[in-house]
Coordinates of all heavy atoms in Angstrom, one line a residue:
M1199 N 162.2 34.2 98.7 CA 161.0 34.9 98.7 C 161.3 36.3 99.3 O 161.7 36.3 100.5 CB 159.9 34.1 99.6 CG 158.7 34.9 99.6 SD 157.3 34.0 100.4 CE 157.4 32.3 100.0
T1200 N 160.7 37.2 98.8 CA 160.9 38.7 99.3 C 159.8 38.9 100.4 O 158.8 38.1 100.5 CB 160.7 39.7 98.2 OG1 159.3 39.8 97.7 CG2 161.7 39.5 97.1
E1201 N 159.9 39.9 101.2 CA 159.0 40.3 102.2 C 157.7 40.6 101.6 O 156.7 40.2 102.1 CB 159.5 41.5 103.0 CG 158.6 41.8 104.2 CD 158.3 40.9 105.3 OE1 159.1 39.9 105.4 OE2 157.4 41.0 106.0
R1202 N 157.6 41.3 100.5 CA 156.5 41.7 99.8 C 155.7 40.4 99.4 O 154.6 40.4 99.5 CB 156.8 42.5 98.6 CG 155.5 43.0 98.0 CD 155.8 43.9 96.8 NE 154.5 44.2 96.2 CZ 154.4 45.3 95.5 NH1 155.4 46.1 95.2 NH2 153.4 45.7 95.0
E1203 N 156.4 39.4 98.8 CA 155.8 38.2 98.3 C 155.3 37.4 99.6 O 154.1 37.0 99.5 CB 156.9 37.2 97.7 CG 157.2 37.8 96.3 CD 158.4 37.1 95.7 OE1 159.2 36.6 96.5 OE2 158.4 36.9 94.4
R1204 N 156.0 37.4 100.6 CA 155.4 36.7 101.8 C 154.2 37.4 102.4 O 153.2 36.7 102.7 CB 156.5 36.8 103.0 CG 156.1 36.0 104.2 CD 157.2 36.2 105.3 NE 157.1 37.5 105.9 CZ 156.2 37.8 106.9 NH1 155.4 37.0 107.2 NH2 156.2 39.0 107.3
R1205 N 154.0 38.8 102.4 CA 152.9 39.4 102.8 C 151.7 39.1 101.9 O 150.6 39.0 102.3 CB 153.2 40.9 103.0 CG 154.0 41.3 104.1 CD 153.9 42.7 104.4 NE 154.1 43.6 103.2 CZ 155.2 44.2 102.9 NH1 156.2 44.3 103.7 NH2 155.2 44.9 101.8
E1206 N 152.0 39.1 100.6 CA 150.9 38.8 99.7 C 150.4 37.4 99.7 O 149.2 37.2 99.8 CB 151.4 39.0 98.3 CG 151.7 40.5 97.8 CD 152.3 40.8 96.5 OE1 152.6 39.6 95.7 OE2 152.6 41.9 96.2
L1207 N 151.2 36.4 100.2 CA 150.8 35.0 100.4 C 149.9 35.0 101.7 O 148.8 34.4 101.7 CB 152.0 34.2 100.5 CG 152.7 33.9 99.2 CD1 154.0 33.0 99.6 CD2 151.8 33.0 98.2
L1208 N 150.4 35.7 102.7 CA 149.6 35.8 103.9 C 148.3 36.3 103.7 O 147.2 35.9 104.1 CB 150.3 36.6 105.0 CG 151.4 35.8 105.7 CD1 152.1 36.8 106.6 CD2 151.0 34.7 106.4
R1209 N 148.2 37.5 102.9 CA 146.9 38.2 102.6 C 146.0 37.2 101.8 O 144.8 37.1 102.1 CB 147.2 39.4 101.8 CG 146.0 40.3 101.4 CD 145.3 40.9 102.6 NE 144.1 41.5 102.1 CZ 143.4 42.3 102.8 NH1 143.6 42.4 104.1 NH2 142.3 42.8 102.4
A1210 N 146.6 36.4 100.9 CA 145.8 35.5 100.0 C 145.2 34.4 101.0 O 144.0 34.0 100.7 CB 146.6 35.1 98.9
A1211 N 146.0 33.9 101.8 CA 145.5 33.0 102.7 C 144.4 33.5 103.7 O 143.5 32.6 103.9 CB 146.7 32.5 103.6
T1212 N 144.5 34.6 104.2 CA 143.4 35.1 105.0 C 142.2 35.4 104.2 O 141.0 35.0 104.8 CB 143.8 36.5 105.7 OG1 144.1 37.5 104.6 CG2 145.1 36.4 106.6
E1213 N 142.3 35.8 102.9 CA 141.1 36.0 102.2 C 140.4 34.6 101.8 O 139.2 34.6 101.8 CB 141.4 36.8 101.0 CG 141.8 38.2 101.2 CD 142.2 39.0 100.0 OE1 142.4 38.4 98.8 OE2 142.4 40.2 100.1
R1214 N 141.2 33.6 101.6 CA 140.6 32.2 101.4 C 139.9 31.8 102.7 O 138.8 31.2 102.7 CB 141.7 31.2 101.0 CG 142.1 31.2 99.6 CD 142.9 30.1 99.2 NE 144.1 29.9 100.1 CZ 145.2 30.5 100.0 NH1 145.5 31.3 99.0 NH2 146.3 30.1 100.8
I1215 N 140.4 32.0 103.8 CA 139.8 31.6 105.1 C 138.5 32.3 105.3 O 137.3 31.8 105.6 CB 140.8 31.8 106.3 CG1 141.9 30.9 106.1 CG2 140.0 31.7 107.7 CD1 143.1 31.2 107.2
V1216 N 138.5 33.7 105.1 CA 137.3 34.5 105.3 C 136.2 34.4 104.3 O 135.1 34.3 104.6 CB 137.7 36.1 105.3 CG1 136.5 36.9 105.3 CG2 138.5 36.3 106.6
A1217 N 136.6 33.8 103.1 CA 135.6 33.5 102.1 C 134.7 32.3 102.5 O 133.6 32.2 101.9 CB 136.3 33.2 100.7
E1218 N 135.3 31.4 103.4 CA 134.6 30.3 103.8 C 133.7 30.6 104.9 O 132.7 29.9 105.3 CB 135.4 29.2 104.3 CG 136.3 28.6 103.2 CD 137.3 27.6 103.7 OE1 137.3 27.2 104.9 OE2 138.2 27.1 103.0
L1219 N 133.7 31.8 105.5 CA 132.7 32.2 106.6 C 131.5 32.9 106.1 O 131.6 33.5 104.9 CB 133.5 33.2 107.5 CG 134.8 32.8 108.2 CD1 135.6 34.0 108.8 CD2 134.5 31.7 109.0
P1220 N 130.5 32.7 106.8 CA 129.1 33.4 106.3 C 129.3 34.9 106.4 O 130.0 35.4 107.2 CB 128.1 32.9 107.2 CG 128.9 32.4 108.5 CD 130.2 32.1 108.1
A1221 N 128.6 35.6 105.5 CA 128.6 37.1 105.5 C 127.7 37.4 106.7 O 126.6 37.0 107.0 CB 127.9 37.5 104.1
W1222 N 128.0 38.6 107.3 CA 127.3 39.2 108.4 C 126.2 40.0 107.8 O 126.3 40.7 106.8 CB 128.2 40.2 109.2 CG 127.5 40.9 110.3 CD1 126.8 40.2 111.3 CD2 127.4 42.2 110.6 NE1 126.3 41.0 112.2 CE2 126.7 42.3 111.8 CE3 127.9 43.4 110.1 CZ2 126.4 43.5 112.4 CZ3 127.6 44.6 110.6 CH2 126.9 44.6 111.8
D1223 N 124.8 39.8 108.4 CA 123.8 40.4 107.8 C 123.5 41.9 108.3 O 122.5 42.6 107.9 CB 122.6 39.6 108.2 CG 122.3 39.6 109.6 OD1 123.0 40.2 110.5 OD2 121.5 38.6 110.0
G1224 N 124.3 42.4 109.1 CA 124.3 43.7 109.6 C 123.4 43.9 110.8 O 123.3 45.0 111.4
E1225 N 122.6 42.9 111.3 CA 121.9 43.0 112.4 C 122.2 41.9 113.5 O 122.0 42.2 114.7 CB 120.3 42.7 112.0 CG 119.9 43.9 111.2 CD 118.4 43.6 110.7 OE1 117.7 42.7 111.3 OE2 118.1 44.3 109.7
S1226 N 122.5 40.7 113.2 CA 122.7 39.7 114.1 C 124.1 39.9 114.9 O 124.8 40.8 114.6 CB 122.9 38.4 113.4 OG 124.0 38.3 112.6
P1227 N 124.2 39.3 116.1 CA 125.5 39.4 116.8 C 126.7 39.1 115.8 O 126.7 38.3 115.0 CB 125.4 38.3 117.9 CG 124.1 38.0 118.1 CD 123.3 38.2 116.7
K1228 N 127.8 39.9 116.1 CA 128.9 39.8 115.1 C 130.2 39.6 115.9 O 130.3 39.9 117.1 CB 128.9 41.2 114.4 CG 129.2 42.3 115.2 CD 129.2 43.7 114.5 CE 129.3 44.8 115.5 NZ 129.1 46.0 114.9
L1229 N 131.2 39.1 115.2 CA 132.6 39.0 115.5 C 133.5 39.8 114.6 O 133.2 39.8 113.5 CB 133.0 37.6 115.5 CG 132.4 36.6 116.5 CD1 132.9 35.2 116.2 CD2 132.8 36.9 117.9
L1230 N 134.4 40.5 115.1 CA 135.4 41.0 114.2 C 136.6 40.2 114.2 O 137.3 39.8 115.3 CB 135.9 42.4 114.9 CG 137.1 43.0 114.3 CD1 136.6 43.5 112.8 CD2 137.5 44.4 115.0
V1231 N 136.9 39.6 113.1 CA 138.0 38.6 112.8 C 139.1 39.5 112.3 O 139.2 40.0 111.3 CB 137.6 37.5 111.8 CG1 138.7 36.5 111.5 CG2 136.3 36.8 112.3
T1232 N 140.3 39.3 113.0 CA 141.5 40.0 112.7 C 142.6 39.0 112.5 O 142.8 38.1 113.4 CB 141.9 41.0 113.8 OG1 140.9 41.9 114.1 CG2 143.1 41.8 113.4
F1233 N 143.3 39.1 111.4 CA 144.6 38.3 111.1 C 145.8 39.1 111.2 O 145.9 40.2 110.8 CB 144.5 37.8 109.8 CG 143.4 36.7 109.5 CD1 142.1 37.1 109.1 CD2 143.6 35.4 109.7 CE1 141.1 36.2 109.0 CE2 142.7 34.4 109.4 CZ 141.3 34.8 109.1
T1234 N 146.8 38.5 112.0 CA 147.9 39.2 112.4 C 149.2 38.4 111.8 O 149.1 37.2 111.9 CB 148.1 39.3 113.9 OG1 147.0 40.0 114.3 CG2 149.3 40.0 114.3
D1235 N 150.1 39.1 111.1 CA 151.2 38.4 110.7 C 152.0 38.0 111.9 O 152.4 38.7 112.8 CB 152.1 39.5 109.9 CG 153.4 38.9 109.3 OD1 154.0 38.0 109.8 OD2 153.8 39.5 108.3
P1236 N 152.3 36.6 111.8 CA 153.0 36.1 113.0 C 154.5 36.5 113.2 O 155.0 36.3 114.3 CB 152.9 34.5 112.8 CG 152.7 34.4 111.2 CD 152.0 35.6 110.9
E1237 N 155.1 36.8 112.1 CA 156.4 37.3 112.3 C 156.6 38.7 112.7 O 157.4 39.1 113.5 CB 157.2 37.1 110.9 CG 157.4 35.6 110.6 CD 158.1 35.4 109.2 OE1 158.9 36.4 108.9 OE2 158.0 34.3 108.8
T1238 N 155.8 39.7 112.2 CA 156.0 41.0 112.5 C 154.9 41.6 113.4 O 154.9 42.7 113.8 CB 155.9 41.9 111.2 OG1 154.6 41.7 110.7 CG2 156.9 41.4 110.1
Q1239 N 153.9 40.7 113.6 CA 152.8 41.2 114.6 C 152.0 42.3 114.1 O 151.3 43.0 114.9 CB 153.3 41.4 116.0 CG 153.8 40.2 116.6 CD 153.0 39.0 116.8 OE1 151.9 39.1 117.2 NE2 153.4 37.9 116.3
T1240 N 152.0 42.5 112.8 CA 151.3 43.7 112.1 C 149.8 43.1 111.6 O 149.9 41.9 111.2 CB 151.9 44.4 111.1 OG1 152.3 43.4 110.0 CG2 153.2 45.1 111.5
R1241 N 148.9 43.8 111.7 CA 147.5 43.3 111.2 C 147.6 43.1 109.7 O 147.9 44.1 108.9 CB 146.4 44.3 111.6 CG 145.0 43.8 111.2 CD 143.9 44.6 111.8 NE 144.0 45.9 111.3 CZ 143.2 47.0 111.7 NH1 142.4 46.7 112.7 NH2 143.2 48.1 111.0
I1242 N 147.0 42.1 109.3 CA 147.0 41.8 107.8 C 145.6 42.3 107.3 O 145.6 42.7 106.2 CB 147.1 40.1 107.6 CG1 148.4 39.7 108.0 CG2 146.8 39.9 106.0 CD1 148.6 38.1 107.9
G1243 N 144.6 42.1 108.0 CA 143.2 42.6 107.8 C 142.1 42.3 108.8 O 142.6 41.6 109.8
H1244 N 141.0 42.7 108.6 CA 140.0 42.4 109.5 C 138.6 42.4 108.8 O 138.5 43.0 107.8 CB 139.9 43.4 110.7 CG 139.5 44.8 110.4 ND1 140.5 45.7 109.8 CD2 138.4 45.4 110.3 CE1 139.8 46.9 109.6 NE2 138.6 46.7 109.8
W1245 N 137.7 41.5 109.3 CA 136.4 41.3 108.7 C 135.4 41.2 109.8 O 135.7 40.6 111.0 CB 136.4 40.0 107.7 CG 137.2 40.2 106.7 CD1 136.8 40.5 105.3 CD2 138.7 40.0 106.6 NE1 137.9 40.5 104.6 CE2 139.1 40.2 105.3 CE3 139.6 39.5 107.4 CZ2 140.3 40.0 104.8 CZ3 141.0 39.6 107.1 CH2 141.3 39.7 105.7
V1246 N 134.2 41.6 109.5 CA 133.0 41.3 110.5 C 132.2 40.1 109.9 O 131.9 40.1 108.8 CB 132.1 42.5 110.6 CG1 130.9 42.2 111.5 CG2 133.0 43.7 111.1
V1247 N 132.0 39.1 110.9 CA 131.2 37.9 110.5 C 130.2 37.7 111.6 O 130.4 38.3 112.6 CB 132.2 36.7 110.3 CG1 133.2 36.9 109.3 CG2 132.9 36.4 111.7
P1248 N 129.2 36.9 111.3 CA 128.2 36.6 112.2 C 128.8 35.7 113.3 O 129.6 34.9 113.2 CB 127.1 35.9 111.4 CG 127.7 35.4 110.2 CD 128.9 36.3 110.0
A1249 N 128.2 36.1 114.6 CA 128.7 35.2 115.8 C 127.9 34.0 115.8 O 127.0 33.8 116.7 CB 128.6 36.0 117.0
T1250 N 128.3 33.0 115.0 CA 127.5 31.7 115.0 C 128.5 30.6 115.2 O 129.7 30.7 115.0 CB 126.8 31.5 113.6 OG1 127.8 31.4 112.6 CG2 125.7 32.4 113.3
A1251 N 128.1 29.4 115.7 CA 129.0 28.4 116.0 C 128.7 27.2 115.1 O 127.4 26.8 115.0 CB 129.0 27.9 117.4
A1252 N 129.6 26.5 114.5 CA 129.3 25.4 113.7 C 129.2 24.2 114.7 O 130.0 24.2 115.7 CB 130.5 25.1 112.7
P1253 N 128.4 23.1 114.4 CA 128.4 22.0 115.2 C 129.6 21.3 115.1 O 130.4 21.4 114.2 CB 127.2 21.1 114.4 CG 126.5 22.1 113.5 CD 127.4 23.2 113.4
L1254 N 129.9 20.6 116.2 CA 131.2 20.0 116.5 C 131.4 19.0 115.2 O 132.7 18.8 114.9 CB 131.3 19.2 117.7 CG 131.5 20.1 119.0 CD1 131.4 19.2 120.2 CD2 132.6 21.1 118.9
S1255 N 130.4 18.4 114.7 CA 130.7 17.4 113.6 C 131.2 18.1 112.4 O 131.8 17.5 111.5 CB 129.4 16.7 113.3 OG 128.4 17.6 112.9
Q1256 N 130.9 19.4 112.3 CA 131.4 20.2 111.0 C 132.7 20.9 111.3 O 133.2 21.5 110.3 CB 130.2 21.2 110.6 CG 129.0 20.6 110.1 CD 128.1 21.6 109.7 OE1 128.2 22.8 109.8 NE2 126.8 21.2 109.4
A1257 N 133.2 20.9 112.6 CA 134.2 21.7 112.8 C 135.5 21.1 112.1 O 135.7 19.8 112.2 CB 134.4 21.7 114.3
K1258 N 136.4 22.0 111.5 CA 137.5 21.5 110.7 C 138.6 21.2 111.8 O 138.9 22.2 112.6 CB 138.0 22.5 109.6 CG 136.8 22.5 108.5 CD 137.4 23.5 107.5 CE 136.3 23.6 106.4 NZ 136.7 24.5 105.4
P1259 N 139.4 20.2 111.6 CA 140.7 20.1 112.6 C 141.6 21.1 112.2 O 141.7 21.6 111.0 CB 141.2 18.7 112.3 CG 140.5 18.3 111.0 CD 139.3 19.1 110.8
Q1260 N 142.3 21.6 113.1 CA 143.5 22.7 112.9 C 144.6 21.9 112.2 O 145.2 21.0 112.7 CB 143.9 23.3 114.2 CG 144.8 24.4 114.1 CD 145.0 25.2 115.4 OE1 144.2 25.0 116.3 NE2 146.0 25.8 115.5
S1261 N 144.9 22.4 110.9 CA 145.9 21.7 110.3 C 147.3 22.1 110.3 O 148.3 21.5 110.1 CB 145.5 21.6 108.7 OG 145.5 23.0 108.3
S1262 N 147.5 23.4 110.7 CA 148.8 24.0 110.7 C 149.6 23.8 112.1 O 150.9 24.0 112.1 CB 148.7 25.5 110.5 OG 148.1 26.2 111.7
G1263 N 149.0 23.4 113.2 CA 149.8 23.3 114.3 C 149.8 24.7 115.0 O 150.4 24.5 116.2
R1264 N 149.5 25.8 114.6 CA 149.5 27.1 115.2 C 148.4 27.2 116.1 O 147.3 26.7 115.7 CB 149.7 28.2 114.1 CG 151.0 28.2 113.3 CD 151.1 29.3 112.5 NE 152.4 29.4 111.9 CZ 152.7 30.2 111.1 NH1 152.0 31.3 110.8 NH2 153.9 30.2 110.5
T1265 N 148.5 28.1 117.1 CA 147.5 28.3 118.0 C 146.6 29.4 117.4 O 147.1 30.4 116.9 CB 148.0 28.7 119.4 OG1 148.8 27.7 119.8 CG2 146.9 29.0 120.4
R1266 N 145.3 29.2 117.4 CA 144.4 30.2 117.0 C 143.7 30.8 118.3 O 143.4 30.1 119.2 CB 143.2 29.6 116.2 CG 143.9 29.1 114.8 CD 142.9 28.7 113.9 NE 143.4 28.2 112.8 CZ 142.8 27.6 111.8 NH1 141.5 27.6 111.7 NH2 143.4 27.2 110.5
R1267 N 143.7 32.1 118.4 CA 143.3 32.7 119.6 C 141.9 33.6 119.4 O 141.8 34.2 118.2 CB 144.4 33.7 120.1 CG 145.7 33.0 120.5 CD 146.7 34.0 121.0 NE 147.9 33.3 121.3 CZ 148.8 33.0 120.5 NH1 148.8 33.7 119.4 NH2 150.0 32.4 120.9
L1268 N 141.0 33.6 120.3 CA 139.9 34.4 120.1 C 139.9 35.4 121.3 O 140.0 35.0 122.5 CB 138.8 33.5 120.2 CG 137.3 34.3 120.2 CD1 137.1 35.0 118.9 CD2 136.2 33.3 120.5
H1269 N 139.9 36.6 121.0 CA 139.9 37.8 122.0 C 138.7 38.4 122.1 O 138.2 38.8 121.0 CB 141.1 38.8 121.7 CG 142.4 38.1 121.8 ND1 143.1 37.7 122.9 CD2 143.2 37.7 120.7 CE1 144.3 37.2 122.6 NE2 144.3 37.1 121.4
A1270 N 138.0 38.7 123.1 CA 136.8 39.4 123.3 C 137.1 40.8 123.6 O 138.0 41.1 124.3 CB 135.9 39.0 124.5
V1271 N 136.6 41.7 122.8 CA 136.7 43.2 122.9 C 135.5 43.9 123.1 O 134.4 43.5 122.6 CB 137.6 43.8 121.8 CG1 139.0 43.2 121.8 CG2 136.9 43.5 120.5
P1272 N 135.4 44.9 123.8 CA 134.1 45.7 124.0 C 133.7 46.3 122.7 O 134.5 46.8 121.8 CB 134.5 46.8 125.0 CG 135.9 46.9 125.2 CD 136.5 45.6 124.6
D1273 N 132.3 46.4 122.5 CA 131.8 47.0 121.3 C 132.0 48.4 121.4 O 131.7 49.2 122.3 CB 130.3 46.7 121.1 CG 129.7 47.0 119.8 OD1 130.4 47.7 119.1 OD2 128.6 46.8 119.6
A1274 N 132.5 49.1 120.2 CA 132.8 50.6 120.3 C 131.5 51.4 120.1 O 131.6 52.6 120.3 CB 133.7 50.9 119.2
S1275 N 130.4 50.8 119.8 CA 129.2 51.6 119.6 C 128.5 52.0 120.8 O 128.7 51.5 122.0 CB 128.3 50.8 118.5 OG 127.9 49.6 119.1

């Protein structure tokens, strides 16, 4: 697999994940979701989503074994 194919697969995977998230309404509290290539540490993409929490009964178990991190950053506005 070439580097370009690997990046395209990562981008497609991030888009599938984000497609499952609710759309931000432009007014409610928001989160900036950023995906980073684990090999090169470069940003794949970023999206704004509403800052809502799913009930624990709906939470999906982490399937890949990779750690997911949430970083709080100050609002630039």
